[in-house]
Amino acid sequence: MSYNVIRFIGGQIGRFTLLMGAVAVVTFALVSLSPVDPVQANVGQAALLGMSEEKRAALAAYWGSDAPVTERFLAWAGALLQGDMGTSLRYNAPVAEVIASRAANSLALMGVAWVVSGGLGFALGVAAALNEGRPVDRAVRAYCFVLAASPTFWVGLLLLMVFSVWLGWFPLGFSVPAGMAASEVTFADALHHMALPAITLSVVGVANVALHTRAKAIEVMGSDFARFARARGESRGRVMVRHGLRNLALPAITLQCAQVAEIFGGSVLVEEVFSYPGLGQAAVTAGLGGDVALLAGIALVSAALVFAGNLAANLVYGLVDPRMRPVRADVRGSEKGEGHDR
């Protein structure tokens, strides 16, 4: 393994460590500034009014809400370094267990939406480029512009009202049928409940990939080799299949990898609209209940996912253009530095 590869890996590890530290500090700082009282949020206003001062103080001490934020952060960070993410106040369970139980739902939802939005966006972009200026192209651009400007929760509510309330094709919410034992839930049941939330995330995430693919496809179709192929009698579709798709696929994948943050942010709203038990819904519950341990744990997991998506985008972009590979960039930088020293 060369020095530049080790340097690149070390740099990524350093950036990841700084990101995790910054996310943890900011999360604790924001929760400390929040007016939410964890004791009141978790026991209820009526129960809190009936408690004695001693009982309130005991609960505050048990949950650690009476300690300074710096002290709580250092205690939590020390436990985290030992593999303990703390205990969730809202769910009365270890944070790691809460995240693990809900991560599968969120990852499945985001994974399906990521694949569908990327594939659909790529197909629509190619179709629009092949029909530039025609009704198909105008319809695709109008769809992308409208969806890009539409809030995710509004699209979710609209689809829920049409396909669940009016047509009854999909359930109103949750990840499994209500009242059914976990052992009785089939894969088809879980897929049926996930379909509409995934469709919501997919149709909203199509716009960027479709518009980018359309622009690149038009550029490819206007290139010299494409015009030469057209002069030989090949159709626009054949030119696109033979010469265009391989030039469009990797840039589209790169852009899709960079959209992990947007898909995760949209999943938070979608999970709330459809009452889908994932990390997004748990984050909202933790925020409203002052559950700092759970909120910090979810923030760290989401930051790690976004970091992984951005890193994948950079690596894939290096496949598209070898000149942009991080390791090769380091090599060029070191060569320039040596030449300058001479």
Side-chain angles (χ1 to χ4, degrees):
M1 184 178 294
S2 66
Y3 167 76
N4 290 287
V5 174
I6 296 175
R7 180 182 175 186
F8 172 73
I9 295 175
Q12 295 302 317
I13 294 176
R15 293 187 183 96
F16 179 76
T17 303
L18 291 176
L19 175 64
M20 294 295 101
V23 169
V25 171
V26 171
T27 301
F28 264 80
L30 292 177
V31 174
S32 66
L33 296 175
S34 172
V36 176
D37 180 11
V39 177
Q40 178 180 341
N42 287 279
V43 303
Q45 180 67 28
L48 185 66
L49 292 176
M51 288 183 183
S52 63
E53 292 295 333
E54 293 77 10
K55 183 63 175 179
R56 296 182 187 178
L59 286 175
Y62 175 75
W63 285 333
S65 60
D66 60 339
V69 63
T70 304
E71 180 180 336
R72 284 185 283 134
F73 174 77
L74 292 176
W76 174 83
L80 180 64
L81 294 177
Q82 299 177 6
D84 183 9
M85 301 181 71
T87 302
S88 170
L89 304 181
R90 298 290 288 181
Y91 295 95
N92 194 28
V95 170
E97 292 183 6
V98 176
I99 293 178
S101 64
R102 291 172 171 263
N105 288 336
S106 289
L107 292 178
L109 176 62
M110 290 187 292
V112 171
W114 187 81
V115 173
V116 173
S117 63
L120 182 59
F122 185 79
L124 290 178
V126 172
L130 291 176
N131 298 274
E132 183 182 4
R134 299 177 182 176
V136 173
D137 181 29
R138 291 194 292 268
V140 170
R141 284 186 293 164
Y143 165 79
C144 293
F145 292 146
V146 170
L147 267 296
S150 301
T152 305
F153 73 90
W154 181 82
V155 176
L157 289 173
L158 184 62
L159 294 180
L160 184 66
M161 181 174 61
V162 173
F163 294 102
S164 295
V165 178
W166 292 352
L167 299 178
W169 292 355
F170 298 99
L172 290 173
F174 308 109
S175 61
V176 295
M180 181 178 293
S183 58
E184 300 176 358
V185 177
T186 64
F187 177 76
D189 293 329
L191 190 62
H192 190 210
H193 280 72
M194 186 181 65
L196 199 55
I199 291 173
T200 303
L201 276 179
S202 300
V203 299
V204 174
V206 161
N208 289 338
V209 176
L211 294 175
H212 175 80
T213 302
R214 175 187 178 275
K216 296 293 291 185
I218 292 175
E219 180 182 339
V220 169
M221 295 301 295
S223 61
D224 293 336
F225 69 84
R227 287 200 296 266
F228 178 72
R230 290 280 291 153
R232 291 187 303 175
E234 295 187 20
S235 64
R236 290 176 61 86
R238 184 173 178 82
V239 172
M240 177 61 70
V241 172
R242 293 188 61 185
H243 306 288
L245 294 182
R246 59 186 175 186
N247 294 320
L248 300 175
L250 286 178
I253 294 174
T254 304
L255 180 63
Q256 188 67 2
C257 289
Q259 290 195 139
V260 172
E262 297 181 14
I263 292 178
F264 184 86
S267 69
V268 174
L269 301 175
V270 168
E271 289 176 9
E272 276 296 299
V273 171
F274 291 94
S275 299
Y276 196 80
L279 292 177
Q281 190 186 53
V284 174
T285 302
L288 295 176
D291 193 345
V292 63
L294 179 57
L295 191 60
I298 294 175
L300 291 177
V301 171
S302 61
L305 290 175
V306 173
F307 181 87
N310 291 332
L311 178 60
N314 292 333
L315 295 177
V316 172
Y317 195 79
L319 296 176
V320 179
D321 188 353
R323 297 170 300 177
M324 300 301 295
R325 291 178 182 174
V327 176
R328 291 180 64 90
D330 290 342
V331 173
R332 291 200 309 272
S334 62
E335 292 176 351
K336 291 180 179 178
E338 292 174 0
H340 181 73
D341 293 337
R342 296 193 190 98

